[in-house]
Amino acid sequence: MTSAPADAGPYTASRRAWPAFAACLVAVFMQMVDTTIVNIALPDLTTDLGASSADQLLVLTVYTLAFACTLMTASRIGERLGRRRVFIIALAGFTVASLLCGTAAGPGELIAARGLQGACAAFASAQTIAIISAIFPRARHGLVFGVYGATAGVAAMLGPVLGGALVGLDAFGLGWRTIFLVNLPFGVIACVIAARAMPPVVGTVRESLDAVGVALSTIGLFLLIYPLSTGREKGWPGWLLAMLAISIAVLVAFVLHERALLRRGGAPLLRLDLFAERSFAVGAVLSLLFFSVFTAFFFTVSITTQFGLGYSPLHTGLITLPFALGAAVGSLLSPMVVTRIGPRTLTVGMVVFAASVAWMAIVIDPARHDIAIASLIAPLVLGGLGTGVFVAPLQAVILSGTTSRTVGSASGTIPTVQQIGGSVGLAIIGIVFFALVGSASSAGASAGADDLRVRLGDTAVPAVAQPIVVSRFSDCVSRQLSSPRPEVSPPGCSAQGSDADAGPQAAIVREAQPALRPAARVAAARAFLEAFSTIMWIICATAAAVAAISLAVPRARAIVPVGTPASVG
């Protein structure tokens, strides 16, 4: 059985196509959930494993980085070795990597296991588009790819909700580890279904592996994303800046190599001729920008609510539930919208999302030192609705001009672009967000000091000592919030150990503790909410840009299924 033409083989009429499709959906659901579910567990795993803020970002970005670096190579290997075989092996590897993540004893182990998990996710994901294209006739592609796109989108949005529920339940006392271990039964089930129902899909032409392209793309992306993830905490040493500069040169060399190889009639890892198709080129830009803001949105929500406001993982997950519900509705409505206005569905979805983020930025008041959850329900539902409307048809728009010859390369290129967008967007927003927290440290310290003065009146701290306590508190809070590691108390500011061992000072600190804790929460809330509000406006502006760019998708271009010749209006 070959991957093209998709409706030519006897297998496409078999009822076994649907179980095979179900295995693909389970795989993509797990892969996309794992891009966002970890956000919720960051505070818990930070405490448990002693992870720094750079470690936290790496836990998030190494998954998408490994995903992005591996996808195009994975697609080519699938063409050569058989997509069914590679899919099953990769899915089994993803399941094993999830086990390693769930049993990690330190941040280094978790980061390594997450990298393996991302690489296995890439090898599985790179096969699914070609597999689905092969096992269903063209007449059903619109339906199955719509379901596939909606599943991927909703899974990513459900990640925080599922993560919050799992961490909150604390099954068997495993805490944050359950967000990884929950993949085990689903991975095993999907592997069994795929082994029984999925056909041996192979490419019509087994092209040689572009080893130079693999090396250049992998090295270039690593040199780009690693410094962005760790630079803020390390203070941007010269060697990290050099890595960024070298990454640009390596990625330019990659593009030049791919172009030269294509002109010689070779088999480049990235088919640059795909970008000559306007729908594909514009769709790739849309994917890059959208997934950068989408990943950053959930990251900043999780960090602000848990580190800034002290919410539990379950509480944070429930906050994002309206967004996930709206996304589910939007995904269901999207086909009807597409029928009426075609590619302009993308524009409508992003305009709605941008409006919802602006609404959130307006209703959040840092001076309240908390979030009025009721006021966020409507904008969150609206944001999810717009995201669902946008994501569901996005893949079909991008692939509407591909043919059976280019669908293999496209199946690796599309998710690569999405994962690069997520990795770079998360790294950049992380840098900006924590810089904004630092900028708001003075305001946070002032708000916390005002709260502390009032609360100290209800403690046994002597009146003469209260100004000293407030002064020290303000200094410590300001230094902590503006430091590269705002989750760690600066030297001399901890209430534990040598900072408060014995004597009058220790007694005063103990007496002040009932007032210090809530005052510190007020200070953190003020700084984090100010940063969060600014980030929402940045995301809003980027979403508006995505909406404007989506207007470049040709109106005459019908949203047609993979493998169907492009239509010309």
Side-chain angles (χ1 to χ4, degrees):
M1 179 66 199
T2 64
S3 59
D7 56 347
Y11 186 86
T12 56
S14 172
R15 286 176 296 180
R16 292 171 62 201
W18 291 104
F21 181 53
C24 291
L25 293 183
V26 172
V28 73
F29 188 89
M30 290 193 301
Q31 294 154 15
M32 295 309 297
V33 161
D34 272 49
T35 62
T36 56
I37 196 172
V38 180
N39 288 321
I40 293 296
L42 280 179
D44 282 25
L45 70 85
T46 295
T47 301
D48 190 22
L49 301 180
S52 67
S53 56
D55 291 332
Q56 296 168 37
L57 275 177
L58 282 173
V59 167
L60 296 175
T61 58
V62 73
Y63 179 85
T64 52
L65 174 59
F67 207 131
C69 290
T70 312
L71 267 166
M72 290 187 290
T73 305
S75 180
R76 181 62 52 81
I77 290 175
E79 288 178 347
R80 293 181 58 81
L81 301 183
R83 297 198 181 276
R84 172 182 176 273
R85 178 188 302 168
V86 173
F87 176 84
I88 294 173
I89 293 174
L91 191 55
F94 180 88
T95 306
V96 172
S98 297
L99 175 62
L100 295 176
C101 288
T103 56
E109 290 181 33
L110 179 58
I111 291 168
R114 281 282 284 173
L116 176 62
Q117 192 184 39
C120 291
F123 267 88
S125 178
Q127 318 311 320
T128 52
I129 293 177
I131 289 172
I132 296 171
S133 179
I135 64 178
F136 285 100
R138 291 177 183 174
R140 290 190 179 272
H141 282 186
L143 170 64
V144 294
F145 277 106
V147 172
Y148 178 83
T151 300
V154 172
M157 296 167 215
L158 281 175
V161 180
L162 296 176
L166 290 170
V167 176
L169 289 172
D170 192 21
F172 306 107
L174 293 171
W176 62 268
R177 298 178 186 277
T178 56
I179 68 173
F180 299 112
L181 299 178
V182 73
N183 288 330
L184 303 186
F186 295 103
V188 171
I189 291 171
C191 284
V192 171
I193 294 174
R196 289 177 174 270
M198 191 172 287
V201 181
V202 295
T204 53
V205 178
R206 296 193 177 188
E207 298 176 325
S208 60
L209 183 64
D210 177 15
V212 175
V214 170
L216 289 174
S217 62
T218 302
I219 294 171
L221 289 172
F222 175 79
L223 292 175
L224 172 67
I225 297 174
Y226 179 79
L228 292 176
S229 299
T230 61
R232 182 190 63 85
E233 182 172 318
K234 294 181 181 296
W236 294 105
W239 61 274
L240 280 182
L241 296 176
M243 285 179 69
L244 283 175
I246 295 171
S247 73
I248 297 173
V250 173
L251 291 174
V252 169
F254 168 70
V255 172
L256 295 176
H257 167 75
E258 299 300 282
R259 178 182 296 176
L261 187 59
L262 183 65
R263 286 176 177 174
R264 295 197 303 267
L269 186 65
L270 173 63
R271 293 188 63 95
L272 295 175
D273 55 334
L274 283 170
F275 294 90
E277 169 57 46
R278 186 173 174 184
S279 292
F280 187 93
V282 175
V285 174
L286 295 178
S287 290
L288 184 75
L289 293 177
F290 170 74
F291 280 92
S292 68
V293 299
F294 177 77
T295 308
F297 174 78
F298 280 107
F299 171 73
T300 51
V301 167
S302 178
I303 291 295
T304 298
T305 53
Q306 294 191 73
F307 278 106
L309 303 178
Y311 290 0
S312 69
L314 180 58
H315 193 177
T316 299
L318 290 176
I319 289 175
T320 64
L321 181 59
F323 192 97
L325 294 176
V329 174
S331 297
L332 294 174
L333 294 177
S334 185
M336 292 182 283
V337 181
V338 168
T339 301
R340 290 181 175 273
I341 62 175
R344 293 299 171 262
T345 303
L346 302 178
T347 309
V348 171
M350 270 300 94
V351 168
V352 172
F353 176 73
S356 74
V357 176
W359 189 352
M360 280 185 270
I362 290 171
V363 300
I364 291 173
D365 181 8
R368 287 173 53 93
H369 311 141
D370 202 352
I371 294 178
I373 303 300
S375 68
L376 290 182
I377 293 176
L380 282 169
V381 171
L382 187 67
L385 187 70
T387 301
V389 168
F390 177 85
V391 169
L394 178 60
Q395 191 140 291
V397 169
I398 299 173
L399 295 175
S400 61
T402 59
T403 65
S404 59
R405 177 175 175 78
T406 58
V407 67
S409 181
S411 67
T413 303
I414 294 170
T416 297
V417 169
Q418 294 171 351
Q419 296 300 327
I420 291 173
S423 296
V424 175
L426 180 61
I428 293 176
I429 288 296
I431 293 170
V432 175
F433 179 78
F434 284 110
L436 290 170
V437 170
S439 297
S441 60
S442 296
S446 177
D450 292 340
D451 184 82
L452 181 60
R453 289 189 186 94
V454 174
R455 293 179 184 276
L456 284 175
D458 296 326
T459 69
V461 176
V464 68
Q466 290 182 12
I468 300 174
V469 173
V470 172
S471 177
R472 183 187 177 197
F473 169 85
S474 298
D475 176 66
C476 287
V477 166
S478 182
R479 284 196 289 144
Q480 181 170 345
L481 291 175
S482 59
S483 72
R485 298 189 61 182
E487 75 281 1
V488 177
S489 296
C493 292
S494 173
Q496 307 297 326
S498 61
D499 292 316
D501 282 336
Q505 183 178 347
I508 291 174
V509 170
R510 285 194 296 271
E511 295 291 349
Q513 281 303 309
L516 288 171
R517 290 191 183 96
R521 181 57 59 204
V522 167
R526 177 62 178 267
F528 275 80
L529 285 175
E530 284 198 11
F532 181 72
S533 180
T534 303
I535 290 294
M536 288 300 99
W537 285 115
I538 294 173
I539 291 176
C540 175
T542 307
V546 172
I549 294 170
S550 70
L551 294 173
V553 177
R555 290 185 65 92
R557 168 76 69 195
I559 299 181
V560 295
V562 179
T564 303
S567 61
V568 180

